[in-house]
Amino acid sequence: MLKTDQQDTALARIKAETLIESLPWLKQFHGKTIVVKFGGNAMVDDALQQAFAEDMAYLRWIGIRPVVVHGGGPQITARLAELGIETEFRGGFRVTTSETISVVRDVLRLTISARLAGLIEFAGAKTQVMSGEDANLFRAEKTMLESPEGPVDIGLVGEVTLVNPRVVFDALEAGRIPVISTVAPDTSGQLLNVNADLAASALAVALGAEKLMVLTDVPGLYSDWPNRDSMVSEINVRELRELLPKLEAGMIPKMQACLQAVEHGVPRAHIIDGRTPHSILLEIFTKTGFGTMVFPDESSEK
């Protein structure tokens, strides 16, 4: 046998072993819904966007039902700068005015959702673009920023208080991958800018999802950031609740999202490094998993 034939045979054997290793997870997750919060560097890197889109299409064609929720902070900031609108942040939140919210809505839906849906379609799966405005998917309530001096008004910023998932179920039943942007009206119809991590968490609960997966720009949760040796591969709800106030500010909403999802019935939530191509597949279909997993207090099984 020629050397190239031997190499091809060895490579084929590795591929076959990888496929067989994934079989238990294929059986476990077939027909189940997984909510993925898309964000971080994966949103602004073309190669990572393509890899993510391929992952979503792959999940769809093996019988898993992915739902994609995304934000778009850098893109919104860039568009506001183009329009000559100043960006202001307080306590990590974008101060959102009546002028800003229309830009937020358009960038999220017409730019980010549209591009991501196009990439997923090109990878071979059908999609449906929607936002919290569509079919009463999300209802939100305006929030204030808590500070040592008291509540601070940060404008049209809110949190999801009600989810009507029917439009998402309909898309899934039609074989489509929902691609969802996170603006939502309040009870008066005023549109609010809502945190995409927490919106994804609320949606995962409403859908009865098997997993919530949150993409970030770090390998996982660090219990003592920036100590790189403090990476946590698994953590239960009780431990996370105790650790939450000590976390770096940017990680808090992501871990809050995981905590709330698991507390309200989602079996597992994961923080995953979106800088690694195909990180979604690595987490779902390997024995070791990828990133940090949050699980209920009574169990530590994947």
Side-chain angles (χ1 to χ4, degrees):
M1 183 181 291
L2 297 176
K3 185 176 181 180
T4 53
D5 292 336
Q6 293 175 332
Q7 291 172 335
D8 289 344
T9 300
L11 181 59
R13 185 177 295 112
I14 292 171
K15 289 180 178 179
E17 290 172 354
T18 302
L19 290 170
I20 290 300
E21 181 182 325
S22 72
L23 182 58
W25 316 127
L26 286 171
K27 292 191 292 185
Q28 179 180 349
F29 296 116
H30 186 84
K32 302 294 179 62
T33 299
I34 292 176
V35 175
V36 183
K37 163 39 182 33
F38 181 59
N41 280 344
M43 292 192 69
V44 295
D45 182 288
D46 289 344
L48 290 174
Q49 286 185 46
Q50 182 176 340
F52 177 82
E54 291 168 348
D55 286 359
M56 295 303 101
Y58 182 85
L59 293 179
R60 163 68 185 83
W61 282 110
I62 61 172
I64 296 174
R65 312 199 311 174
V67 175
V68 179
V69 178
H70 69 82
Q75 295 90 332
I76 292 168
T77 299
R79 180 57 180 155
L80 288 170
E82 290 173 1
L83 296 172
I85 302 173
E86 184 178 352
T87 295
E88 180 184 0
F89 287 92
R90 292 183 186 172
F93 291 89
R94 183 186 303 275
V95 177
T96 306
T97 65
S98 57
E99 183 180 31
T100 305
I101 191 64
S102 61
V103 177
V104 171
R105 173 174 58 183
D106 289 347
V107 169
L108 290 177
R109 182 163 191 149
L110 303 180
T111 301
I112 300 174
S113 287
R115 172 171 171 74
L116 184 55
L119 289 171
I120 295 172
E121 296 254 358
F122 185 77
K126 295 180 180 179
T127 62
Q128 184 170 330
V129 170
M130 61 184 76
S131 77
E133 297 178 88
D134 294 357
N136 298 312
L137 174 55
F138 294 144
R139 183 65 55 83
E141 183 178 285
K142 179 178 163 61
T143 56
M144 304 285 279
L145 174 65
E146 296 299 327
S147 75
E149 293 75 31
V152 177
D153 190 349
I154 50 176
L156 300 176
V157 175
E159 62 181 33
V160 172
T161 56
L162 186 66
V163 181
N164 177 11
R166 175 48 50 196
V167 66
V168 178
F169 280 127
D170 289 345
L172 292 172
E173 291 300 319
R176 299 181 181 276
I177 297 175
V179 178
I180 304 169
S181 55
T182 52
V183 291
D186 64 12
T187 54
S188 71
Q190 172 62 60
L191 201 62
L192 300 175
N193 184 12
V194 300
N195 180 276
D197 299 313
L198 297 175
S201 176
L203 181 60
V205 172
L207 292 172
E210 188 71 14
K211 281 179 183 281
L212 169 67
M213 308 176 81
V214 180
L215 268 67
T216 68
D217 289 337
V218 294
L221 172 65
Y222 290 90
S223 62
D224 184 27
W225 178 260
N227 178 4
R228 297 284 180 172
D229 294 328
S230 67
M231 165 86 174
V232 178
S233 60
E234 294 185 357
I235 189 169
N236 66 30
V237 164
R238 177 184 53 79
E239 294 167 336
L240 178 55
R241 199 182 294 116
E242 294 173 357
L243 183 62
L244 198 61
K246 306 171 188 176
L247 297 180
E248 186 269 333
M251 185 59 75
I252 288 177
K254 300 182 187 306
M255 298 315 305
Q256 282 180 324
C258 291
L259 179 64
Q260 291 176 16
V262 176
E263 282 183 321
H264 290 88
V266 176
R268 301 288 182 271
H270 304 259
I271 295 293
I272 297 174
D273 191 347
R275 300 170 302 176
T276 301
H278 306 295
S279 55
I280 298 292
L281 300 187
L282 288 171
E283 202 299 310
I284 295 176
F285 298 121
T286 62
K287 293 178 181 178
T288 56
F290 195 77
T292 299
M293 178 178 70
V294 181
F295 57 88
D297 292 336
E298 70 275 8
S299 174
S300 62
E301 298 176 0
K302 181 179 178 183

